[in-house]
Amino acid sequence: MKNYKIAVLKGDGIGPEIVDEAIKVLDAVASKDGFNLEYNEYLLGGAAIDVFDNPCPDETIKGCQNSDAILFGAIGGPKWDNLPKEKRPETGLLKLRKSLGLFANLRPAIIFDELTNASSLKPEVIKGVDLEVVRELTGGIYFGEPRYKDDNKAYNTMIYSRDEIERIAHVAFKEAQKRRKKVTSVDKANVLEVSELWREVVEEVAKNYPDVELEHMYVDNAAMQLVRDPKQFDVILTGNIFGDILSDEASMIVGSIGLLPSASIGGKVGLFEPIHGSAPDIAGQGIANPIATILSAAMMLDYLGEDKSSQRIRNAIKKVLAKGYRTKDLANFDAKEVVTTSEMGTLIAEHAAE
Ligand code: NAD
């Protein structure tokens, strides 16, 4: 029987509650499809600060490096907000991503037909939206040197090398090949030299993927098109800062922050996490929506090559939503019964094992 080693980072706030539900669902499909998942828990964020006085202990990095994939909840909370920057939970997560070389962030935004009313856009605009933002995660203006600030002047440097653009472009084209075979590369090539190079390199990489259509779009237009007609997009390929903004915009089209998964890949081991934070305001109340984490677990199974199981999970979520089960965040959207975090996990696990 195939065995996969999964590093589990539950983190803080609602992290442990939602990760437990994802594990419940993973176990259901693993036993159905005949593979084994071996979980090893490590501490990250506030939970790690409390024990090791370090938001990302070496033991956590080593444990992740020695795994086949990482399932992560969320970190942070008011308890650790006043610590110096290097000790804060967020710093731990950045360190982990950097140490694992996770340069590509994938954020799919899928609309469930049952939840079209939860979006702030009109149902006819969003029905059928199925797009994925592929964001470069470890370069660009957030990391560029030199950077500087005094009282009168400040600057940052937006820098991309050919290698950095090539490797993220390959990720985007490969994703598109698994989807509807279209890449929209987003830049600001009418103003920025760094975007000119981005465009040239993406054009070159595209030659390796003749089955995938490539279009270029300026970032200001992309921001507008995302709310005007999001259905036109399949894969959106973009750099760090544009991707940061566009992926948040794309995620809000879906309706609830509790529904959106993400994957960070590029190194030896992929990391899978919901896009939301640790939601300290609702932690411990059993009302968090576990679906974003369960969908992240499905992305993890795709990454491990267990596509049949990931599809079972996605179908199960659709069925459970179609039957009208909702967690509290979606209680106003065609709910027949409002359920707890744990009940939602159990329902999805049961449907996935059918
Ligand atoms: P948040 O995403 O935690 O919460 C924003 C709002 O969405 C809150 O009202 C919360 O209750 C709600 N929400 C979030 N997830 C939900 C879910 N699954 N079900 C139902 N409702 C949900 O963002 P925030 O409040 O800005 O940050 C809280 C903490 O999380 C901070 O410490 C922040 O630094 C941290 N954070 C961590 C990550 C991460 O671990 N990757 C990401 C973002 C924020």
Side-chain angles (χ1 to χ4, degrees):
M1 193 190 272
K2 259 196 200 156
N3 185 57
Y4 300 105
K5 278 176 83 173
I6 309 298
V8 176
L9 313 173
K10 293 187 177 180
D12 311 314
I14 60 170
E17 301 167 50
I18 52 178
V19 170
D20 283 348
E21 298 317 308
I23 289 177
K24 202 187 265 179
V25 176
L26 282 169
D27 284 341
V29 292
S31 65
K32 178 96 186 162
D33 290 330
F35 59 91
N36 187 50
L37 296 164
E38 176 194 329
Y39 306 104
N40 295 298
E41 270 190 50
Y42 300 97
L43 296 177
L44 185 75
I49 296 170
D50 288 352
V51 177
F52 296 108
D53 195 30
N54 177 350
C56 183
D58 289 346
E59 187 190 304
T60 299
I61 297 177
K62 269 193 212 121
C64 289
Q65 278 165 340
N66 292 328
S67 302
D68 296 307
I70 306 158
L71 182 64
F72 169 47
I75 44 107
K79 184 177 173 192
W80 306 281
D81 273 353
N82 295 322
L83 292 173
K85 196 168 170 230
E86 68 280 5
K87 285 255 172 92
R88 288 173 55 112
E90 297 80 359
T91 307
L93 180 56
L94 288 182
K95 182 177 161 196
L96 182 71
R97 285 185 180 141
K98 197 94 188 161
S99 329
L100 297 172
L102 301 172
F103 67 82
N105 185 239
L106 316 185
R107 276 197 191 187
I110 309 156
I111 296 278
F112 292 101
D113 284 350
E114 296 73 22
L115 293 176
T116 42
N117 287 330
S119 170
S120 50
L121 299 184
K122 290 188 202 121
E124 63 268 28
V125 175
I126 55 139
K127 204 159 188 241
V129 166
D130 180 2
L131 63 87
E132 179 168 289
V133 179
V134 174
R135 167 188 170 195
E136 201 289 327
L137 202 59
T138 54
I141 196 164
Y142 292 167
F143 294 90
E145 298 287 348
R147 55 204 298 153
Y148 177 78
K149 176 173 179 288
D150 66 27
D151 285 347
N152 297 310
K153 189 172 73 179
Y155 56 79
N156 291 86
T157 305
M158 186 152 164
I159 181 163
Y160 270 118
S161 66
R162 173 172 288 274
D163 288 356
E164 284 174 313
I165 304 167
E166 271 174 7
R167 65 183 188 176
I168 190 74
H170 280 293
V171 171
F173 281 100
K174 288 196 174 107
E175 283 299 298
Q177 280 184 322
K178 292 186 244 158
R179 299 170 48 95
R180 298 195 312 282
K181 302 190 170 51
K182 180 176 168 192
V183 168
T184 305
S185 175
V186 173
D187 61 36
K188 191 70 184 167
N190 49 345
V191 181
L192 302 174
E193 282 76 7
V194 60
S195 284
E196 277 178 37
L197 181 68
W198 179 278
R199 215 172 250 226
E200 286 160 24
V201 176
V202 171
E203 289 277 348
E204 283 165 29
V205 172
K207 291 184 187 137
N208 300 292
Y209 304 88
D211 54 330
V212 178
E213 180 196 343
L214 169 66
E215 69 172 1
H216 300 281
M217 200 178 271
Y218 297 134
V219 62
D220 39 349
N221 187 25
M224 183 186 73
Q225 295 297 336
L226 261 176
V227 287
R228 196 188 69 83
D229 178 22
K231 264 177 271 190
Q232 69 183 285
F233 294 107
D234 180 19
V235 171
I236 297 176
L237 159 65
T238 192
N240 206 343
I241 188 168
F242 300 153
D244 192 1
I245 299 163
L246 293 181
S247 58
D248 266 24
E249 187 188 354
S251 66
M252 265 302 97
I253 296 171
V254 176
S256 167
I257 194 165
L259 292 171
L260 287 156
S262 81
S264 299
I265 61 167
K268 195 175 127 279
V269 192
L271 179 142
F272 301 84
E273 60 173 311
I275 69 153
H276 58 72
S278 58
D281 53 331
I282 58 166
Q285 298 175 34
I287 57 172
N289 188 341
I291 291 180
T293 315
I294 294 171
L295 283 169
S296 306
M299 288 183 89
M300 183 178 88
L301 291 177
D302 284 333
Y303 172 82
L304 294 171
E306 298 293 345
D307 315 28
K308 199 165 136 200
S309 295
S310 62
Q311 209 40 54
R312 275 189 209 286
I313 295 178
R314 293 189 182 101
N315 290 341
I317 293 172
K318 277 193 196 123
K319 279 190 203 154
V320 169
L321 291 174
K323 287 183 180 171
Y325 295 109
R326 304 280 187 271
T327 41
K328 197 176 164 213
D329 51 318
L330 295 169
N332 293 334
F333 303 104
D334 306 314
K336 292 207 180 76
E337 188 178 339
V338 176
V339 295
T340 64
T341 308
S342 160
E343 285 165 343
M344 181 56 94
T346 303
L347 280 162
I348 296 169
E350 283 169 2
H351 283 74
E354 266 171 10

